[in-house]
Amino acid sequence: MRTDRLYAITVYLLNHGKTSASELAKKFEVSIRTIQRDIDSLCKAGIPVVAETGATGGYYLMNSFKMDAQTATDEEYSYILTALKGFSTAINSPRIDTAIEKISSLTKKKDDSVILDFSVLREMDSNLLQMLQEAIKTRKAVRFGYTNAENISRIHTVEPIAVIYRWYAWYLLAYSIIKNDYRTYKLVRMNGLEITDLEFTREHDTADTILREYENTDSQKVTEIKVRCKADARAKAIEYLNGIITAEYSDGECDMTLYVIETEHFWFGTILSLGDGIIIKEPEHIRQRILEAAEDIVSLYK
């Protein structure tokens, strides 16, 4: 167990750089004293761990340190292979196929107990995805037309950071030069993409770091919705809306809590499609939004 932790600490420092003893203790669920003993053991084993004291101190590995490429187990390589095969079903790329071949050669364990099939994601324009990946790699700004959720169309020039699949759609995470802020753009709403000759105007944090900060903005704020769900709509609400049951009743109905991004529309359309099978209890502004949409639909068929 301790050997596994020593290895894990080494990998963590290699991936995350300088880390305090308290952070390591929290990560590996041990005491700070145990972390200190582990660091001593790593140093005695020849792992070049540097310790810095002070308020901003911590442990890190010397830049010259490199790990043996064959440190993963057969089981771990099988996980990587499963993920790569799933990735290949979403994106047609010779580079992914080459990576699959390389990883396959590193393990004799072929585990097909889990298969990831993301072929539905190929519905998007593959040329668009490849152009964005090229722009990200070469650090060049891109320009495109974009129609937002309010049906307003504008030309945007942005510095692309990453392409993301989430909330049932592909998005571009990018830095808006005009807005001086980070934004996400739905790829299906983009048109006329071109890679410009404009170099990035600044260094950007990693996509994960930017997303964590971006998700705290009002545009990406998660809204809690409380609903009453009839028995015949229950399974669909759980499947398509990730509904969490908070109370159940003898007639098969239940109360659920939903968590949604208000600016996204998949959840809204799903609620409408369930008709009278689901009733919004709160918040009131979501109730009104559903009511107005229903009235508009009814007016079309009168």
Side-chain angles (χ1 to χ4, degrees), residues 26-54:
K26 182 177 180 181
K27 169 68 178 176
F28 295 102
E29 300 180 342
V30 296
S31 68
I32 292 177
R33 179 57 186 152
T34 297
I35 290 296
Q36 292 170 337
R37 286 196 294 265
D38 287 346
I39 295 297
D40 287 340
S41 297
L42 288 173
C43 291
K44 290 176 182 177
I47 306 298
V49 181
V50 180
E52 282 189 2
T53 59

Side-chain angles (χ1 to χ4, degrees), residues 49-68:
V49 181
V50 180
E52 282 189 2
T53 59
T56 61
Y59 300 111
Y60 63 91
L61 295 169
M62 293 179 63
N63 292 334
S64 59
F65 178 72
K66 295 269 190 297
M67 289 189 70
D68 188 338

Side-chain angles (χ1 to χ4, degrees), residues 55-237:
T56 61
Y59 300 111
Y60 63 91
L61 295 169
M62 293 179 63
N63 292 334
S64 59
F65 178 72
K66 295 269 190 297
M67 289 189 70
D68 188 338
Q70 299 291 335
T71 52
T73 65
D74 273 347
E75 184 177 25
E76 289 166 339
Y77 276 127
S78 74
Y79 293 154
I80 296 171
L81 196 56
T82 298
L84 280 172
K85 286 180 177 179
F87 193 26
S88 71
T89 65
I91 300 174
N92 184 21
S93 170
R95 288 182 290 184
I96 298 175
D97 294 338
T98 300
I100 290 173
E101 290 297 327
K102 288 180 179 179
I103 297 298
S104 295
S105 69
L106 297 176
T107 178
K108 296 179 180 179
K109 184 175 182 179
K110 305 298 189 243
D111 185 359
D112 291 329
S113 60
V114 176
I115 296 176
L116 305 177
D117 186 347
F118 301 127
S119 53
V120 67
L121 306 187
R122 289 199 182 194
E123 293 178 359
M124 63 156 291
D125 185 348
S126 59
N127 289 331
L128 177 61
L129 186 58
Q130 291 173 10
M131 288 178 67
L132 288 171
Q133 288 179 303
E134 180 64 23
I136 293 167
K137 181 180 177 181
T138 57
R139 293 174 53 82
K140 293 292 180 65
V142 295
R143 186 179 295 115
F144 53 86
Y146 190 77
T147 303
N148 64 19
E150 286 72 42
N151 206 33
I152 299 172
S153 298
R154 293 194 181 95
I155 301 297
H156 294 257
T157 301
V158 303
E159 298 173 6
I161 308 298
V163 179
I164 308 160
Y165 182 80
R166 63 193 328 194
W167 305 316
Y168 308 100
W170 285 100
Y171 290 83
L172 170 67
L173 172 65
Y175 173 73
S176 171
I177 299 172
I178 299 299
K179 297 292 185 180
N180 190 30
D181 198 4
Y182 294 98
R183 296 282 191 274
T184 55
Y185 302 87
K186 211 168 189 175
L187 265 59
V188 73
R189 296 177 183 163
M190 297 166 60
N191 63 82
L193 178 80
E194 60 178 273
I195 302 175
T196 73
D197 293 327
L198 300 174
E199 302 283 350
F200 280 15
T201 59
R202 58 187 292 178
E203 289 293 326
H204 300 289
D205 285 332
T206 63
D208 284 340
T209 301
I210 296 169
L211 282 173
R212 280 196 297 271
E213 296 176 357
Y214 179 72
E215 286 170 349
N216 291 326
T217 63
D218 290 339
S219 64
Q220 297 299 305
K221 185 178 179 181
V222 174
T223 298
E224 180 182 272
I225 302 177
K226 296 186 182 300
V227 304
R228 181 67 171 257
C229 190
K230 291 185 178 179
D232 59 356
R234 174 176 175 150
K236 290 182 179 179

Side-chain angles (χ1 to χ4, degrees), residues 234-292:
R234 174 176 175 150
K236 290 182 179 179
I238 293 174
E239 180 179 358
Y240 298 117
L241 297 169
N242 295 321
I244 300 171
I245 297 175
T246 56
E248 298 188 70
Y249 304 97
S250 58
D251 59 359
E253 293 190 2
C254 65
D255 289 336
M256 283 188 185
T257 299
L258 316 176
Y259 295 94
V260 305
I261 304 291
E262 286 200 39
T263 54
E264 292 302 312
H265 295 283
F266 179 84
W267 65 269
F268 188 75
T270 301
I271 288 177
L272 287 175
S273 73
L274 293 176
D276 63 353
I278 190 167
I279 303 169
I280 307 294
K281 297 170 67 176
E282 56 180 83
E284 183 59 31
H285 76 277
I286 297 293
R287 284 174 55 87
Q288 287 300 315
R289 184 175 169 187
I290 293 290
L291 177 61
E292 290 169 6

